[in-house]
Every structure is written in C-alpha cells, then in structure tokens.
Amino acid sequence: MKKSLPDPGRTLLSLLGVGPFVRREQPVWSLQGTRWSGLLPDEDMRIMGQICPPVPYQRDERVYRHGDPASSLYILLEGHVKLTQPTWLGGERVVSVCGPDDFFGENFLTGADVCQAHAICLSDQAVVCPVSRPQFLEVAARLPNVALNLAMVLARRNADLEYKLQAMTQPVQVRLARVMVELALHHGEELRAGRYHLTLDLRHDEIASMANASRVSATQAISAWRSQQLVMGTRGDYHIDVGGLEQLIEKLELAALK
C-alpha cells in the first residue's frame, strides 16, 4: 500500500500555491539572483541531486518548447538559458536570461497546462535540475530545510515581478539601460569597481525585446553608450560601465519627471 504524503509536505505545497488551480493562460515565470545553492550544505545538495537528477544541455538545445506539457520547476545549476516567446510575425521575443541558481518553469507555481515559452540553452553547456511536484514532495519529506529554503526563495517572486512591471513604464532608453545593467550584474564578471565584462551571446534585437523596445532603439542606444564609453565591445562580448549607466538612468528618470 502506498504511503500517504506527510502533512508538512502538503502544507508547504499549499503555501507555494501548488494544488488545485483555475486553469488559464499564464505569463512566463522566472526568478533570478536566488543564490540558492549557497544556502545548502553539500550533503543536502548531494541528496537533492539523487531525488532530482541534473540534466545537461548543449548550445541551442531546448529544455522545453512553447506548448509542451508543463510539469516542473527548473533550477539552473550551470550555464545560461534564455526564455523566449513566439511573436505574431513568426519571430521570438526574449523574455529573460537565466544563469546559475536561477529558477524557471511556470507550472510549479501557476498551474499552467502548457509551457508559455521556449527555454533554450544559450551557453556551450548548461546543467538543469528539473523538479516535478512528486519530487518536491519527496524533498519536503526527506530534506525539510531544503524545502524551506526553496519556499523562501520562491516567495520573492512577487517583489521581482513588481519591479519588472514598474520598469516597463520608464522611457525606452531607461529600460534598455536597466536591461544592460541587470545583465552585467547578474551574468557578468566584475573587473573593477562598477565595471563588468559580459560574455553572453545576445543580438541587439534580443536585448531590445527584453526591454520591450525596437531593435533600432537598442542599436541607437548602444551606439550612444559607446561614444560615452559606457558600453564597449560588440555582440557576445561587452565591457559595461555599470556605475555610469546607473547615473544615466537617474538623469533620464529625473528629466522624465519635468
């Protein structure tokens, strides 16, 4: 006879919103900057890997496709994955770029029947840990501290979404500058105070789509930033003056208030 699930696991899933759902279309979901693995001891990570075995991907491989059955939360352990949505004109809009310790995958939190985006490996190699609902219940039963840390990280998603929604109301150059700053801080290497090296294979139109802007706007903005030495380099290899871009953002925001 199959054992019933422990009440703590059921309670935790209930708090996370994993249970009966009203089925409806949901937006793409991701959570960045979690630093989740740093919260766990090595032994817990080892057991977690046994419960939810990591899966390797190569560049341009898809973790899942738009329209695939949605079944898991994905924890990115290594590499970069971009989340894209198809457009009406047959192209793709980049919604987000995920790096190590980032979470993505709608169904775990929203109950979406199908995936709302493509999840595509952006780096030469990526390692992803898929976590299904049954696997999460096992984690909750065997590793309650891991489940609690996971719940704490997931609880931050509302604040993350509110920030992104507020950013979309800003002028286009502010939105583009914020995208560059976030990419540098989250995926880049700090060379010295305020200056980052970003190696990420994104075209101008993909950077533009992350800011809900046109490719022309992105190209013009990046060209202007080059002349001010705020952004140097080209596609896939940038040196970014984050401090300078943040000053520019503040200046543009103040001008927009006048």
Side-chain angles (χ1 to χ4, degrees), residues 52-217:
C52 315
V55 180
Y57 291 88
Q58 303 298 316
R59 180 182 291 275
D60 296 329
E61 267 195 278
R62 302 199 179 210
V63 180
Y64 54 76
R65 295 173 180 271
H66 180 274
D68 282 353
S71 59
S72 299
L73 172 74
Y74 297 86
I75 303 174
L76 184 55
L77 304 179
E78 179 183 325
H80 293 93
V81 168
K82 66 178 178 181
L83 305 180
T84 71
Q85 283 186 313
T87 66
W88 290 105
L89 298 177
E92 289 186 353
R93 181 176 72 89
V94 178
V95 179
S96 182
V97 175
C98 298
D101 273 358
D102 289 348
F103 295 3
F104 59 97
E106 294 87 351
N107 189 59
F108 194 84
L109 288 174
T110 67
D113 290 312
V114 298
C115 297
Q116 305 300 314
H118 303 297
I120 306 167
C121 179
L122 190 60
S123 50
D124 290 336
Q125 178 175 295
V127 179
V128 177
C129 181
V131 184
S132 67
R133 281 188 248 172
Q135 287 171 327
F136 181 80
L137 286 170
E138 184 174 353
V139 170
R142 294 179 58 185
L143 300 169
N145 287 334
V146 173
L148 180 60
N149 285 332
L150 181 59
M152 291 170 60
V153 169
L154 294 175
R156 292 176 40 204
R157 80 187 194 281
N158 287 340
D160 186 63
L161 288 173
E162 287 176 6
Y163 170 78
K164 289 181 178 180
L165 286 173
Q166 290 174 357
M168 287 298 103
T169 65
Q170 299 294 326
V172 62
Q173 192 169 164
V174 171
R175 300 199 305 268
L176 287 163
R178 285 192 182 279
V179 166
M180 293 299 290
V181 167
E182 289 170 8
L183 289 172
L185 292 175
H186 190 51
H187 304 290
E189 175 189 3
E190 188 171 19
L191 302 177
R192 57 184 185 276
R195 293 184 177 268
Y196 288 75
H197 181 209
L198 177 65
T199 304
L200 201 61
D201 190 15
L202 288 175
R203 304 185 306 271
H204 283 186
D205 62 307
E206 293 177 313
I207 294 172
S209 66
M210 294 179 70
N212 196 26
S214 68
R215 181 192 61 80
V216 172
S217 296

